[in-house]
Short mmCIF file of all heavy atoms in Angstrom, two decimals:
data_model
loop_
_atom_site.label_atom_id
_atom_site.label_comp_id
_atom_site.label_asym_id
_atom_site.label_seq_id
_atom_site.Cartn_x
_atom_site.Cartn_y
_atom_site.Cartn_z
N GLY C 343 6.72 30.56 -43.87
CA GLY C 343 6.20 29.62 -45.01
C GLY C 343 6.15 28.12 -44.68
O GLY C 343 6.08 27.26 -45.49
N ILE C 344 6.00 27.78 -43.34
CA ILE C 344 6.03 26.50 -43.00
C ILE C 344 4.38 25.97 -43.06
O ILE C 344 3.66 26.65 -42.46
CB ILE C 344 6.51 26.18 -41.65
CG1 ILE C 344 8.05 26.28 -41.67
CG2 ILE C 344 6.22 24.88 -41.06
CD1 ILE C 344 8.85 26.18 -40.42
N SER C 345 4.22 24.72 -43.72
CA SER C 345 2.88 24.53 -43.96
C SER C 345 2.15 23.98 -42.93
O SER C 345 2.60 22.98 -42.25
CB SER C 345 2.65 23.78 -45.41
OG SER C 345 3.35 22.63 -45.14
N ILE C 346 0.94 24.26 -42.55
CA ILE C 346 0.04 23.71 -41.55
C ILE C 346 -0.73 22.48 -42.37
O ILE C 346 -1.55 22.68 -43.16
CB ILE C 346 -0.91 24.57 -41.03
CG1 ILE C 346 -0.16 25.77 -40.30
CG2 ILE C 346 -2.06 23.99 -40.11
CD1 ILE C 346 -1.05 26.75 -39.53
N ALA C 347 -0.33 21.19 -41.87
CA ALA C 347 -0.98 20.04 -42.53
C ALA C 347 -2.49 19.98 -42.01
O ALA C 347 -3.32 19.40 -42.70
CB ALA C 347 -0.16 18.83 -42.33
N ALA C 348 -2.70 20.22 -40.72
CA ALA C 348 -4.02 20.15 -40.20
C ALA C 348 -4.09 20.86 -38.76
O ALA C 348 -3.11 21.11 -38.19
CB ALA C 348 -4.27 18.53 -39.97
N LYS C 349 -5.35 21.17 -38.52
CA LYS C 349 -5.61 21.78 -37.24
C LYS C 349 -6.93 21.08 -36.55
O LYS C 349 -7.74 20.56 -37.28
CB LYS C 349 -6.13 23.29 -37.36
CG LYS C 349 -5.03 24.24 -37.55
CD LYS C 349 -5.54 25.61 -37.63
CE LYS C 349 -4.55 26.54 -37.81
NZ LYS C 349 -5.12 27.97 -37.78
N GLY C 350 -6.93 21.09 -35.21
CA GLY C 350 -8.11 20.47 -34.60
C GLY C 350 -9.33 21.54 -34.58
O GLY C 350 -9.25 22.64 -35.16
N GLN C 351 -10.29 21.10 -33.96
CA GLN C 351 -11.54 21.83 -33.77
C GLN C 351 -11.83 22.50 -32.36
O GLN C 351 -11.59 21.59 -31.51
CB GLN C 351 -12.82 21.11 -34.27
CG GLN C 351 -12.83 20.55 -35.56
CD GLN C 351 -13.83 19.37 -35.75
OE1 GLN C 351 -14.91 19.44 -35.09
NE2 GLN C 351 -13.43 18.37 -36.49
N LEU C 352 -12.26 23.65 -32.37
CA LEU C 352 -12.56 24.19 -31.07
C LEU C 352 -14.06 23.95 -30.88
O LEU C 352 -14.82 24.41 -31.59
CB LEU C 352 -12.19 25.74 -30.93
CG LEU C 352 -12.51 26.51 -29.73
CD1 LEU C 352 -11.55 25.83 -28.57
CD2 LEU C 352 -12.15 27.84 -29.88
N ASP C 353 -14.50 23.52 -29.58
CA ASP C 353 -15.77 23.33 -29.33
C ASP C 353 -16.53 24.56 -29.31
O ASP C 353 -16.03 25.63 -28.91
CB ASP C 353 -15.99 22.76 -27.73
CG ASP C 353 -15.62 21.25 -27.66
OD1 ASP C 353 -15.51 20.64 -28.68
OD2 ASP C 353 -15.61 20.72 -26.48
N ALA C 354 -17.65 24.59 -29.83
CA ALA C 354 -18.47 25.82 -29.96
C ALA C 354 -18.78 26.42 -28.65
O ALA C 354 -18.92 27.51 -28.51
CB ALA C 354 -19.92 25.49 -30.72
N ASN C 355 -18.96 25.57 -27.49
CA ASN C 355 -19.32 26.06 -26.29
C ASN C 355 -18.15 26.35 -25.30
O ASN C 355 -18.15 26.57 -24.17
CB ASN C 355 -20.33 25.20 -25.49
CG ASN C 355 -19.77 23.79 -25.28
OD1 ASN C 355 -18.59 23.51 -25.69
ND2 ASN C 355 -20.39 23.02 -24.51
N ALA C 356 -16.79 26.39 -25.93
CA ALA C 356 -15.64 26.66 -25.18
C ALA C 356 -15.79 28.05 -24.75
O ALA C 356 -15.99 29.06 -25.47
CB ALA C 356 -14.37 26.46 -25.96
N PRO C 357 -15.58 28.38 -23.35
CA PRO C 357 -15.91 29.76 -22.81
C PRO C 357 -14.84 30.83 -23.54
O PRO C 357 -13.69 30.37 -23.81
CB PRO C 357 -15.70 29.64 -21.41
CG PRO C 357 -15.83 28.18 -21.14
CD PRO C 357 -15.44 27.40 -22.31
N SER C 358 -15.27 31.96 -23.88
CA SER C 358 -14.40 32.86 -24.74
C SER C 358 -13.32 33.42 -23.87
O SER C 358 -12.26 33.72 -24.56
CB SER C 358 -15.34 34.04 -25.20
OG SER C 358 -15.96 34.63 -24.06
N GLY C 359 -13.34 33.38 -22.66
CA GLY C 359 -12.19 33.88 -21.87
C GLY C 359 -11.14 32.78 -21.65
O GLY C 359 -10.03 33.12 -21.00
N GLY C 360 -11.35 31.63 -22.12
CA GLY C 360 -10.28 30.52 -21.85
C GLY C 360 -9.16 30.56 -22.72
O GLY C 360 -9.26 31.28 -23.82
N PHE C 361 -8.10 29.87 -22.42
CA PHE C 361 -6.83 29.89 -23.17
C PHE C 361 -6.52 28.89 -24.17
O PHE C 361 -5.71 27.99 -23.94
CB PHE C 361 -5.67 30.03 -22.07
CG PHE C 361 -5.91 30.89 -20.86
CD1 PHE C 361 -5.80 30.62 -19.59
CD2 PHE C 361 -6.23 32.27 -21.23
CE1 PHE C 361 -6.00 31.46 -18.68
CE2 PHE C 361 -6.43 33.15 -20.26
CZ PHE C 361 -6.40 32.81 -18.96
#
Side-chain angles (χ1 to χ4, degrees):
I344 290 177
S345 55
I346 293 182
K349 277 183 175 183
Q351 298 162 39
L352 183 62
D353 277 356
N355 62 351
S358 59
F361 312 127

